[in-house]
Amino acid sequence: MTTDEGSFVREDAVGKYVLLSLESRRCAEMGSLIERMGAVGVIAPSMQEVPLEENEGVFAFGERLMAGDFDLVIFMTGVGATALRELLETRWSSEEFLSSMEKVSVLVRGPKPASVLSKWGTRIDYRVPEPNTWRDLVALVDRESIIKEGLRVCVQEYGKPSAELYRELEARGAVVSAVMVYQWALPDDLEPLKSAVTGICEGKYDATLFTSAQQVHHLVEVADQMGLRGTMIDRLKSGFVASIGPTCSETLREYGLPISLEPAHPKMGPLVKETIEALRGLGREVLMNS
């Protein structure tokens, strides 16, 4: 609740920090993690994965892969890689798909697609090091001299086209295609997210945790719908904003939001732990309306 002066008064008797998380797929894990580390978690799922209704692009990719039309395939996410194979195997056998994968070079953006492809038994030629941003991917491409003029590259996408990555690869001589496997949508139930927007505007959270760039877009979209975008952005600017890593941070800065903390490793555990440590280290409550 708020006082007449507008400062936030904790309703929990033990004075724990209140952290807002916009995690969706792993919301239960995030809530448990925050609780175990001695804080109060408010979880507002901000997105859902929606398979594309029209999969012609996936099947077009499959036809080209089987025909040997790609030299390098870049896997950006584990979920996307899994969905891609599941869709392709409605038309081709597992043996056909895996055999075709052996004929191309394979680059993975991070540990999640690497884990998926390892389970397939697929050879991984290049792995992007942490923090696994598109810039790290480009740096790896340069370091390993991967791109040659005319190299045919396909990028497995994960909800939003990586326009900057395409430009950088094309500038180095690659011929770039993309295959979109799924996209992000707002949750069917928007009430938790609307409540989060209101809570931010009222200064109810000591910190807001972002674990993906798409969470940022959706939070702002819902605030826009509520007519509270400006107020929410101002509150976040004066509060504690924790970002899981550079890609997410880049999106936050696009909206003019400063980053209070980015963990040493881009994982939920370090994000929560280091946020709580930072709040304690400040020697005062970091309030959204300070």
Side-chain angles (χ1 to χ4, degrees):
M1 62 181 179
T2 57
T3 66
D4 292 339
E5 290 78 22
S7 60
F8 178 64
V9 178
R10 298 180 187 284
E11 295 183 3
D12 56 297
V14 294
K16 295 180 179 179
Y17 290 111
V18 181
L19 310 184
L20 171 65
S21 169
L22 303 167
E23 185 61 36
S24 300
R25 190 172 63 219
R26 301 171 67 188
C27 58
E29 181 181 348
M30 176 62 91
S32 175
L33 188 61
I34 292 172
E35 184 178 347
R36 291 201 311 272
M37 292 190 183
V40 175
V42 177
I43 313 298
S46 59
M47 55 195 193
Q48 62 177 321
E49 293 168 22
V50 181
L52 296 178
E53 294 180 2
E54 299 294 333
N55 291 309
E56 289 310 309
V58 173
F59 296 127
F61 162 80
E63 289 171 357
R64 294 187 64 188
L65 179 68
M66 303 297 165
D69 285 349
F70 297 118
D71 302 305
L72 172 69
V73 178
I74 298 174
F75 288 91
M76 302 293 275
T77 67
V79 173
T82 299
L84 178 65
R85 179 176 177 178
E86 288 176 353
L87 287 168
L88 290 174
E89 290 184 0
T90 64
R91 185 169 295 186
W92 293 278
S93 69
S94 177
E95 291 75 16
E96 287 176 304
F97 169 67
L98 293 176
S99 176
S100 295
M101 286 297 302
E102 290 301 315
K103 298 174 184 177
V104 299
S105 294
V106 174
L107 185 153
V108 294
R109 188 176 66 101
K112 291 181 180 178
S115 175
V116 170
L117 268 68
S118 294
K119 290 177 182 176
W120 295 354
T122 296
R123 184 194 70 257
I124 298 174
D125 299 286
Y126 307 103
R127 300 171 188 251
V128 179
E130 287 189 356
N132 317 125
T133 67
W134 69 266
R135 289 188 174 86
D136 297 307
L137 194 160
V138 171
L140 172 67
V141 163
D142 289 343
R143 187 166 59 251
E144 299 290 336
S145 301
I146 296 171
I147 302 297
K148 309 297 182 184
E149 189 67 35
L151 189 80
R152 299 164 300 176
V153 178
C154 187
V155 182
Q156 168 262 306
E157 276 297 2
Y158 61 108
K160 184 181 179 183
S162 304
E164 300 95 337
L165 174 61
Y166 302 165
R167 284 197 296 269
E168 292 297 328
L169 295 178
E170 289 169 348
R172 288 158 174 76
V175 178
V176 181
S177 303
V179 54
M180 185 73 72
V181 185
Y182 64 90
Q183 61 186 356
W184 296 113
L186 285 166
D188 293 329
D189 180 8
L190 285 180
E191 290 310 309
L193 198 50
K194 288 181 177 179
S195 179
V197 170
T198 301
I200 291 171
C201 293
E202 293 177 353
K204 289 187 175 180
Y205 313 118
D206 295 300
T208 301
L209 312 180
F210 292 92
T211 52
S212 79
Q214 196 63 40
Q215 292 175 3
V216 186
H217 293 306
H218 281 187
L219 182 67
V220 173
E221 181 178 343
V222 170
D224 241 341
Q225 294 174 8
M226 299 170 68
L228 293 173
R229 173 172 174 165
T231 301
M232 185 189 74
I233 293 292
D234 287 343
R235 291 294 194 181
L236 287 169
K237 284 181 178 178
S238 64
F240 195 101
V241 174
S243 166
I244 198 157
T247 299
C248 185
S249 297
E250 187 172 10
T251 301
L252 286 163
R253 293 189 183 100
E254 288 175 5
Y255 289 104
L257 295 172
I259 313 303
S260 306
L261 179 140
E262 197 176 280
H265 298 286
K267 302 180 186 300
M268 291 197 320
L271 177 70
V272 174
K273 181 175 183 290
E274 293 176 31
T275 293
I276 294 172
E277 289 175 349
L279 292 173
R280 289 173 178 159
L282 290 171
R284 61 177 177 81
E285 294 178 354
V286 179
L287 306 176
M288 298 306 301
N289 57 349
S290 59

